[in-house]
């Protein structure tokens, strides 16, 4: 039996992924490789919707790909590739843009947030049409399911609407994908501002980067914001900082929150932070070291990325050829 296709990707803009990207996305990607014919990409076309330094973008794309591999994405099971190496993404996006209403695109709330941050003068048409490119990324691979964070729900709806519209106008072409929204338990919060999710655009001190030096990681965890009451218990509202540390420990160690609370009974925040730092380092250090090894061998990384691009191009070109034929090219 053939496995269903699956597509997911992350931006290369920060170079290093953070603990939220790793625990909320990458760990799941590695687990899904056996059950799906998976396509995992580094979405560099999306990165240039805001200004990038070319040299840094190229290097950050490689660093991101190296982390996918180091975390366990297996080039023999999955296609690991860079989005710009597969021209069909931009080509399908154009066709889909002609099917997207101007008002429909204007209702995307992420665009409103991002353009407000960028300011009117730095807001490009590319930033505006970003969700349509994302629809193309997905639809090229004909997946039944797309694993996404809660903030991507609206973009998945647009993807489904565009696929349905194309199918009804030009004939059955696309599988209509379901968004599989990630569980709340996989969510990691900012160490300095534990009401907000850990994000590359958040406080750098609240962010644990996979590529950080070990001493930096320990310092960030030991400086995590907690509260003045000394009890170690799980309560996202009253004790967001402590709950986040327990959540990180649990996500990595696999121990239940209840078991951890019992384990820390009678201990202090220093003990909690020390143990979380140990658990995080034991998980992250081998990944960082492996990623650095891959980056030190550019020819091997190029070979792996070319192999992934060949697999992705094969699937993507097939879908694009059908689309082009149906629209009259
Ligand atoms: P960021 O917020 O750092 O810009 P992205 O929005 O690019 O991260 O998300 C990339 C992937 O990582 C998505 O699958 C998203 O759900 C996941 N992710 C991002 N931040 C977190 C987090 N704090 N906790 C869990 N998963 C996260
Ligand atoms: Na984001």
């Amino acid at each position: 039996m053939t496995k269903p296709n699956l597509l997911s990707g992350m931006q290369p803009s920060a170079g290093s992924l953070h603990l939220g990207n790793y625990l909320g996305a990458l760990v799941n990607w590695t687990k899904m490789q056996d059950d799906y014919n998976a396509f995992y990409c580094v979405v560099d076309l999306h990165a240039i919707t805001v200004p990038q330094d070319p040299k840094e973008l190229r290097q950050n794309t490689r660093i991101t790909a190296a982390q996918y591999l180091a975390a366990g994405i297996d080039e023999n099971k999955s296609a690991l590739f860079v989005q710009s190496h597969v021209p069909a993404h931009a080509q399908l996006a154009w066709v889909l843009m002609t099917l997207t209403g101007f008002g429909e695109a204007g209702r995307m709330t992420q665009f409103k947030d991002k353009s407000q941050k960028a300011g009117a003068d730095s807001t490009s048409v590319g930033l505006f049409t970003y969700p349509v490119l994302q629809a193309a990324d997905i639809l090229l691979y004909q997946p039944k399911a797309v694993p996404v964070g809660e903030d991507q729900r609206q973009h998945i709806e647009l993807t489904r609407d565009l696929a349905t519209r194309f199918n009804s106008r030009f004939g059955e072409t696309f599988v209509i994908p379901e968004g599989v929204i990630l569980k709340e338990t996989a969510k990691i919060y900012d160490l300095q501002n534990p009401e907000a999710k850990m994000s590359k655009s958040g406080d750098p001190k609240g962010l644990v980067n996979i590529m950080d030096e070990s001493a930096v990681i320990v310092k960030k965890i030991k400086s995590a914001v907690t509260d003045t009451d000394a009890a170690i218990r799980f309560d996202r509202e009253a004790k967001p900082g402590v709950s986040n540390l327990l959540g990180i420990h649990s996500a990595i160690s696999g121990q239940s929150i209840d078991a951890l609370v019992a384990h820390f009974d009678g201990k202090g925040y220093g003990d909690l932070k020390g143990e979380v730092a140990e658990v995080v380092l034991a998980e992250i250090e081998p990944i960082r070291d492996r990623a650095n090894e891959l980056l030190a061998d550019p020819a091997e990384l190029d070979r792996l990325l070319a192999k992934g691009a060949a697999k992705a191009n094969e699937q993507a070109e097939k879908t694009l050829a059908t689309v082009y034929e149906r629209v009259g090219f």
Side-chain angles (χ1 to χ4, degrees):
M1 232 183 70
T2 58
K3 296 173 185 175
N5 285 357
L6 179 94
L7 178 280
S8 209
M10 284 193 269
Q11 288 218 22
S13 24
S16 182
L17 298 172
H18 57 71
L19 200 56
N21 298 142
Y22 174 70
L23 294 173
L26 204 40
V27 168
N28 295 317
W29 292 6
T30 63
K31 288 184 189 152
M32 290 185 291
Q33 295 184 102
D34 290 317
D35 298 327
Y36 292 90
N37 182 31
F39 295 85
Y40 294 126
C41 60
V42 181
V43 294
D44 57 348
L45 296 179
H46 286 281
I48 65 164
T49 54
V50 295
Q52 300 286 333
D53 173 75
K55 243 174 97 184
E56 277 174 26
L57 175 60
R58 190 172 299 115
Q59 184 58 11
N60 286 340
T61 298
R62 298 177 72 82
I63 295 172
T64 304
Q67 288 167 96
Y68 288 6
L69 289 161
I73 301 301
D74 180 338
E75 83 276 7
N76 294 314
K77 291 182 184 167
S78 305
L80 162 66
F81 67 101
V82 175
Q83 188 186 24
S84 63
H85 298 177
V86 181
H89 287 252
Q91 291 169 307
L92 178 60
W94 177 254
V95 174
L96 296 178
M97 272 189 253
T98 66
L99 297 177
T100 309
F102 190 78
E104 185 177 33
R107 284 192 291 277
M108 297 295 123
T109 56
Q110 280 221 345
F111 170 73
K112 290 181 193 166
D113 294 346
K114 287 185 179 179
S115 59
Q116 231 150 41
K117 266 187 219 156
D121 291 344
S122 320
T123 297
S124 68
V125 173
L127 189 65
F128 186 65
T129 58
Y130 173 121
V132 185
L133 176 59
Q134 198 180 343
D137 299 339
I138 295 167
L139 296 177
L140 280 174
Y141 299 93
Q142 307 281 19
K144 286 199 187 69
V146 189
V148 287
E150 175 62 41
D151 55 351
Q152 293 297 312
R153 191 186 285 277
Q154 201 186 20
H155 292 174
I156 297 298
E157 272 316 303
L158 177 70
T159 303
R160 291 166 55 84
D161 290 346
L162 290 174
T164 306
R165 201 170 299 158
F166 188 97
N167 287 353
S168 65
R169 200 149 144 202
F170 299 105
E172 285 303 313
T173 304
F174 294 119
V175 170
I176 312 296
E178 294 284 343
V180 182
I181 308 292
L182 288 169
K183 285 191 311 247
E184 188 65 11
T185 47
K187 198 157 169 183
I188 306 301
Y189 295 82
D190 187 320
L191 295 174
Q192 286 301 313
N193 175 25
E195 274 100 11
K197 72 161 203 160
M198 187 178 283
S199 170
K200 60 178 175 289
S201 47
D203 182 346
K205 291 199 295 297
L207 195 62
V208 173
N209 289 308
I210 308 259
M211 302 304 286
D212 277 346
E213 301 269 348
S214 300
V216 173
I217 293 176
V218 172
K219 187 163 178 226
K220 284 178 179 174
I221 293 172
K222 294 210 165 155
S223 317
V225 165
T226 50
D227 51 54
T228 51
D229 142 77
I232 298 178
R233 56 191 175 80
F234 191 86
D235 181 339
R236 285 262 186 233
E237 314 251 284
K239 300 175 71 71
V242 169
S243 301
N244 187 35
L245 291 168
L246 288 168
I248 291 170
H249 191 315
S250 172
I252 297 174
S253 68
Q255 295 187 59
S256 70
I257 297 288
D258 286 346
L260 288 173
V261 169
H263 165 74
F264 285 110
D265 184 39
K267 296 186 180 142
Y269 289 168
D271 302 305
L272 172 63
K273 289 176 175 178
E275 204 173 299
V276 169
E278 260 173 48
V279 166
V280 168
L281 283 189
E283 181 81 2
I284 293 303
E285 277 177 334
I287 297 173
R288 180 196 62 206
D289 295 347
R290 176 73 188 125
N292 281 324
E293 270 171 38
L294 284 159
L295 290 165
D297 187 353
E300 173 64 0
L301 188 55
D302 284 343
R303 185 188 70 79
L304 294 171
L305 292 176
K307 180 173 171 177
K311 276 201 245 181
N313 268 309
E314 194 185 319
Q315 167 68 50
E317 280 168 11
K318 208 156 65 182
T319 305
L320 185 74
T322 308
V323 167
Y324 269 21
E325 196 272 322
R326 299 229 160 128
V327 299
F329 292 163

